[in-house]
Amino acid sequence: MSATLAVFLTELQPGIKIGIFEKLDSAAEESSNAWNNAGTGHAALCELNYTPEKNGVIDISKALEVNTEFDVSRQLWAYLVSKGEIKDPRSFIHPVPHLSFVRGADDVAFLKKRFEALSAHHCYRGMEFTRDKKQIEEWVPLVMEGRDPGDVVAATRMETGTDVNYGSLTNLLLDYLRQKEGFAIHFSQRVHDLHRDGEQWKVKLRDEKTGEQRDLTAKFVFIGAGGGSLPLLHKSAIPEARGYAGFPVSGLWFRCDNPAHTSRHHAKVYGKAPVGSPPMSVPHLDTRYIDGDVSLLFGPYAGFSTKFLKHGSYLDLFTSVDPDNILPLLAVGRDNVALTEYLIGQVIESDTERFLALHDFFPNARPRDWRLAVAGQRVQIVKRDPVHGGVLQFGTEVVSAADGSLASLLGASPGASTAAWIMLHVLERCYKDAMKNGWSSKLSEIIPSYGRSPASDAQLCRKIRADTAAVLGLHDIA
Ligand SMILES: Cc1cc2nc3c(=O)[nH]c(=O)nc-3n(C[C@H](O)[C@H](O)[C@H](O)COP(=O)(O)OP(=O)(O)OC[C@H]3O[C@@H](n4cnc5c(N)ncnc54)[C@H](O)[C@@H]3O)c2cc1C
């Protein structure tokens, strides 16, 4: 997120002075690391939680938002590749079809309705639906082989899906930034406090290796610390931060590197979330391209840990509680019994039980081909709510100071896929004058659809998708 914002700022104002301070000794070792997230280019092609059914009608509004937010990321990446700033798009993005796969008459009926609603919109041109087992087997053989012949199944497929290595992308963006005047990244530097100091922010840093402390001042601060953002936002003491709390969800994957399987699965296959599960814990069987190798990931299995970061502290949750957020947190505990039960169930699940969930997607899977890996932490947003006292929110939210001198990103989903879209909002909120004085028109060169809506302009949608597909080497629906 921080690297994306820094790229925008550098493009908009060459020479602008930017410092990134990272507490670990290298970049993208938390959520953005390829093994810590699923690498889905979330465009709401296969994630069933973005199309809820309300009173028998499928609501596609959230899906359309996510779908076109991903277009913003594609345009930024295509811009950097076209300029030669990123040499090879294959170093971070691969075309991988996105499928939704369901079992049972009710879920099949839901998928059919969802397909009808989505495929009627130009953003979903090319979506396919089938109940034909042979067809599904052609698309994803591992999902069908060994399956009970009595299973009632259906699938949708979008060939235009992607797998993205967000860790690699982060490092590519940083490589680009390192060549620019005014930019510097500092590792092993923990930001441990910040406060207003007149017109500026005073940021307190501690060197994680030597313990040495120092202060620096900045006119604008972006708190892009992933799970570590909430405590820093509280320390900033901006009134807008009051009442926010975090609810950490941990995750585990099964990972398979056996070429006998990886060579026979080329898709991201998303299923339906179990009752009570958080939407981002929908199980999926994914092709991953990481560091030149192909792997399969299955999961994530959600869990509960009080850490806000994978390299964080078990005290994170407790130290984040303050008089402003205790009531929203308690209200969320009271109102989310199904989620609590689901997480407890996941935590006490044995590896054998976890493996049974994989069998739903890959009936012939054998334990010897798979190993468990720990995913990144996701800190979900808890915030005040006038009706319920507090609500748990599964999206992301930018919280910013009224004067635009500080912004922070909370939440996890749809995450890295929509980083460019989220950072455009940070610019619009925090650099209002500059946006009026030329940045907006420069942004249209970087993001050709800027200020317009591909969801309501079919021609624009087709053009940006064809253009970005050509530059990034992705599938396009002619
Ligand atoms: C299990 C899982 C699956 C996911 N799947 C997907 C997916 O398929 N597609 C998708 O688009 N997104 C996905 N996401 C979300 C995505 O990974 C995140 O939204 C994204 O990586 C967040 O980027 P970030 O820069 O905000 O945070 P991070 O990548 O976590 O970076 C934050 C950085 O801040 C540093 N930091 C923290 N505190 C401090 C401090 N006090 N001082 C200095 N540095 C600090 C950390 O060390 C870290 O390097 C997933 C996340 C998880 C956990």
Side-chain angles (χ1 to χ4, degrees), residues 24-248:
L24 299 178
D25 53 18
S26 54
E29 292 303 330
E30 280 288 341
S31 292
S32 300
N33 181 285
W35 293 114
N36 289 344
N37 63 69
T40 303
H42 283 301
L45 305 177
C46 55
E47 309 86 334
L48 301 178
N49 54 303
Y50 292 134
T51 46
E53 188 169 6
K54 292 177 191 159
N55 304 321
V57 178
I58 304 286
D59 179 1
I60 67 164
S61 52
K62 181 69 190 167
L64 281 176
E65 276 174 25
V66 177
N67 183 260
T68 51
E69 285 165 14
F70 189 60
D71 286 320
V72 179
S73 292
R74 283 174 60 138
Q75 289 172 84
L76 173 65
W77 303 337
Y79 170 81
L80 294 171
V81 172
S82 300
K83 273 185 63 177
E85 302 287 4
I86 294 180
K87 298 281 172 288
D88 178 10
R90 282 291 169 273
S91 53
F92 73 97
I93 192 164
H94 285 82
V96 173
H98 285 192
L99 280 86
S100 308
F101 173 76
V102 295
R103 293 187 308 155
D106 288 351
D107 288 350
V108 168
F110 164 77
L111 193 69
K112 177 91 190 333
K113 257 193 199 175
R114 175 183 179 273
F115 165 73
E116 282 160 3
L118 287 177
S119 57
H121 195 281
H122 63 258
C123 283
Y124 286 86
R125 225 156 45 93
M127 184 177 246
E128 300 163 88
F129 169 87
T130 190
R131 275 186 284 235
D132 178 0
K133 290 177 181 163
K134 284 223 158 55
Q135 176 67 81
I136 302 177
E137 190 164 350
E138 244 171 64
W139 288 345
V140 276
L142 300 187
V143 174
M144 292 308 287
E145 286 167 8
R147 186 165 293 284
D148 179 344
D151 264 6
V152 176
V153 296
T156 55
R157 179 170 82 145
M158 277 297 273
E159 259 205 292
T160 53
T162 53
D163 175 65
V164 184
N165 181 334
Y166 294 107
S168 174
L169 175 65
T170 305
N171 280 301
L172 289 164
L173 297 180
L174 292 173
D175 287 347
Y176 150 89
L177 286 163
R178 281 188 186 97
Q179 298 159 30
K180 305 290 165 188
E181 205 192 315
F183 177 83
I185 181 160
H186 311 264
F187 291 107
S188 306
Q189 299 291 311
R190 179 193 288 268
V191 178
H192 66 90
D193 203 356
L194 72 168
H195 60 260
R196 207 76 175 106
D197 185 17
E199 294 287 289
Q200 308 241 351
W201 283 96
K202 186 173 265 187
V203 179
K204 294 185 166 293
L205 299 164
R206 189 175 52 242
D207 188 306
E208 292 288 87
K209 289 191 172 140
T210 63
E212 205 178 299
Q213 309 227 8
R214 67 185 168 117
D215 293 352
L216 61 88
T217 52
K219 273 196 257 175
F220 170 73
V221 173
F222 174 63
I223 304 175
S229 293
L230 181 74
L232 291 177
L233 184 60
H234 283 160
K235 285 188 172 161
S236 75
I238 60 168
E240 292 79 3
R242 278 196 206 126
Y244 282 92
F247 180 83

Side-chain angles (χ1 to χ4, degrees), residues 4 22 35 43 164 201 207 219 276 296 300 326 357 406 455 459:
T4 301
E22 164 58 55
W35 293 114
V164 184
W201 283 96
D207 188 306
K219 273 196 257 175
L296 299 183
I326 181 104
L406 178 140
Q459 219 181 331

Side-chain angles (χ1 to χ4, degrees), residues 13 43 144 178 210 224 228 239 261 268 301 306 343 351 382-383 412-413 423 471:
Q13 189 177 310
M144 292 308 287
R178 281 188 186 97
T210 63
H261 302 313
K268 287 180 179 270
Y301 299 89
T306 53
L343 290 178
D351 288 359
V382 172
K383 60 194 267 195
S413 234
M423 291 310 130
V471 176

Side-chain angles (χ1 to χ4, degrees), residues 19 61 64 80 86 101 120 176 220 239 245 263 298-299 302 311 319 353 360 362 371 375 398 405 411 438 447 478:
S61 52
L64 281 176
L80 294 171
I86 294 180
F101 173 76
Y176 150 89
F220 170 73
S263 62
F298 180 77
H311 299 93
T319 53
E353 286 166 319
D360 285 347
F362 182 178
R371 61 188 149 119
V398 173
S405 64
I447 311 291

